Amino acid sequence: MAPAQADLETEDTDLRWSRLMATAQGGDREAYRCLLGEILPFVRAIVARQHRMPDRAEDVVQDVLLTLHRVRHTYDPGRSFKHWLAMIARRRSIDALRRRLRLGSLEVSDDIAYETFADPRANRMIETREAGEGLRAAVAGLPERQRQALELVKLREMSLREASQASGISVAALKVNVHRALKALRARLKGERM
Amino acid sequence: MSDATERLIERLAGEAEPVRRLPPPLLRAGLWLLAVAAAFAAAVLLFADMPEFVRRARDPRQVVELAATVLTGVAATIAAFQLSLPDRSPLWSLLPLPALFLWLASSGYGCYSSFLALGHDDGSLAESSHCFRFIIGFSVPLAISLLVLLRRATPLSPGRVAAMGGLGVAAIAAFALQFFHPFDVTFLDLGVHIVAIGLVIAGMSLAERLSPAPQAA
């Protein structure tokens, strides 16, 4: 098609839509229905520039139609209808894109959601449980004498004398074993975190 | 055509009552400005210190400042009405800028000259707070009436339209202040004016955001 002919057709379409809109503003429902049907490909083409997914794009197209309906009293038949419509379609399309980006930045995927909850208390509970499991595994990995000394003195909170009586190990040996156990645990847990 | 879109078109066509077209934005802006001018003229005749105003108006700098202030108000009001329509260029936002710069520059120059002449800035907080209350109080009824008119166009960028309207209202209030505040502006006054204008703009934007969505005519 020659460019001059294309321009002429664009002008014809603009004029036709402008007349249909002016009639629709007067309450002619048939003209309005006809106009909304005819402008769809034009609106879809504008929306498709920002929205590639067909479902999402169709939602935006419907939003453009609703907006056009709401602001139809602002159209001045002395001006280009195509320009008026294109500005509405572009504006609503960009608004929808911004809304989607804003929502996207607030959403988290399931994998991350498992580790991070919106409520800090929930995070603390998970972290405490995970830390407890790590500590239990580290204690189980200690040599028998160190594990026993630690359990009596630190976990059951016995005095050194009581622990010595209960286990038959001397107070000095208990002290040494508790010290070594704590040192080993500290090293192991620190290594895990790094 | 998707079924949902087809159903939507049927629904919208079924609901399409006749609508009353908005008059051209320039005409709407002009009518509002005329109404404000009439109310303002009445207030000036009743309450303003006219002899003092006439004496001060002999100073060319004062005339430039007054003209720039009222031009900012008029230009921002016209821009707000234009921007409220979907097919108008966002470049309308630039319309009040030249007058706004001239207004701020001449006010600033005025402050500087009186500072040099007196050797000190004799602004008092009591006088400045009077200006502040005047600008805010004068702006409230103007802002409400302008917001109602601007919302009739159900603007697609309501924040920008309300902010532009706020600038128009605040500039008109600052112009009116010149008739009731027969003093040279000090730096403190200028600062207070700028804060009051910022508050009016922010207030109008907030009111636009908080008020329910307007219905089509």
Side-chain angles (χ1 to χ4, degrees):
Chain A
M1 195 188 295
Q5 198 186 340
D7 284 352
L8 212 63
E9 279 194 10
T10 307
E11 221 174 274
D12 279 353
T13 316
D14 197 12
L15 210 62
R16 176 180 158 72
W17 287 353
S18 177
R19 283 195 193 124
L20 281 173
M21 186 56 172
T23 321
Q25 283 176 324
D28 185 334
R29 291 175 180 181
E30 200 41 55
Y32 195 43
R33 182 179 293 114
C34 183
L35 175 72
L36 294 181
E38 281 188 24
I39 61 172
L40 264 185
F42 181 73
V43 173
R44 282 201 180 116
I46 293 174
V47 170
R49 285 180 210 156
Q50 262 104 25
H51 303 269
R52 303 251 178 256
M53 286 173 73
D55 280 2
R56 205 167 273 163
E58 201 57 22
D59 285 349
V60 180
V61 168
Q62 291 173 16
D63 183 40
V64 172
L65 294 180
L66 283 165
T67 307
L68 177 152
H69 184 71
R70 208 176 63 235
V71 303
R72 66 191 190 281
H73 63 297
T74 65
Y75 175 62
D76 173 0
R79 299 172 71 93
S80 163
F81 177 82
K82 262 192 172 175
H83 176 64
W84 182 80
L85 176 60
M87 294 291 268
I88 295 174
R90 259 181 235 137
R91 183 77 247 164
R92 296 310 290 163
S93 196
I94 291 169
D95 284 350
L97 196 66
R98 281 196 187 136
R99 218 165 28 240
R100 193 156 63 82
L101 289 175
R102 206 166 42 231
L103 285 175
S105 70
L106 293 175
E107 283 172 359
V108 281
S109 72
D110 271 349
D111 289 350
I112 304 169
Y114 171 74
E115 290 172 18
T116 309
F117 294 100
D119 181 0
R121 281 176 305 177
N123 286 327
R124 273 203 296 277
M125 281 167 66
I126 296 271
E127 282 161 12
T128 310
R129 200 174 67 207
E130 281 175 356
E133 278 165 10
L135 184 63
R136 210 165 291 134
V139 171
L142 291 172
E144 177 58 27
R145 290 182 75 93
Q146 287 181 21
R147 191 185 56 73
Q148 191 185 13
L150 189 78
E151 197 177 315
L152 294 172
V153 178
K154 294 293 176 188
L155 302 181
R156 293 196 195 168
E157 296 181 333
M158 286 181 177
S159 66
L160 283 168
R161 189 187 298 266
E162 286 166 348
S164 173
Q165 282 169 357
S167 62
I169 306 169
S170 71
V171 168
L174 277 172
K175 260 188 186 174
V176 170
N177 279 314
V178 166
H179 177 73
R180 283 182 183 159
L182 287 176
K183 200 173 164 186
L185 281 179
R186 207 171 287 136
R188 188 168 298 180
L189 293 175
K190 199 174 174 187
E192 268 177 18
R193 260 188 234 126
M194 281 170 72
Chain B
M1 193 191 300
S2 90
D3 284 352
T5 310
E6 202 170 349
R7 279 198 302 275
L8 177 67
I9 289 180
E10 284 303 317
R11 182 165 76 75
L12 296 180
E15 288 173 5
E17 299 296 327
V19 288
R20 210 173 60 194
R21 258 177 235 140
L22 281 182
L26 208 56
L27 177 66
R28 300 176 68 219
L31 288 175
W32 183 79
L33 286 167
L34 212 62
V36 171
F40 174 63
V44 165
L45 286 177
L46 289 174
F47 307 111
D49 184 357
M50 280 313 280
E52 177 60 24
F53 176 77
V54 169
R55 189 192 62 75
R56 278 158 42 83
R58 288 199 191 105
D59 175 5
R61 192 204 58 78
Q62 223 24 280
V63 175
V64 169
E65 187 182 326
L66 278 169
T69 313
V70 76
L71 270 178
T72 306
V74 171
T77 306
I78 291 171
F81 276 99
Q82 293 283 359
L83 290 169
S84 70
L85 297 172
D87 58 344
R88 304 307 155 105
S89 166
L91 291 178
W92 278 104
S93 314
L94 305 179
L95 186 68
L97 291 190
L100 178 64
F101 285 131
L102 187 60
W103 171 24
L104 291 179
S106 58
S107 280
Y109 180 71
C111 300
Y112 184 62
S113 320
S114 54
F115 178 76
L116 285 185
L118 296 169
H120 61 91
D121 197 12
D122 66 345
S124 83
L125 206 57
E127 268 171 25
S128 294
S129 85
H130 165 255
C131 303
F132 183 81
R133 277 182 279 126
F134 184 94
I135 291 181
I136 299 287
F138 196 90
S139 293
V140 168
L142 297 191
I144 292 171
S145 61
L146 186 59
L147 210 54
V148 168
L149 287 178
L150 291 173
R151 282 167 63 82
R152 283 208 55 218
T154 46
L156 298 184
S157 307
R160 184 193 294 171
V161 173
M164 192 52 66
L167 176 62
V169 162
I172 290 170
F175 173 72
L177 178 69
Q178 300 294 323
F179 291 80
F180 303 93
H181 179 274
F183 308 103
D184 288 332
V185 176
T186 62
F187 280 118
L188 184 63
D189 285 338
L190 186 61
V192 166
H193 292 183
I194 291 171
V195 170
I197 290 162
L199 273 179
V200 172
I201 293 173
M204 259 185 94
S205 302
L206 193 68
E208 166 58 50
R209 197 174 285 235
L210 296 180
S211 43
Q215 297 298 311

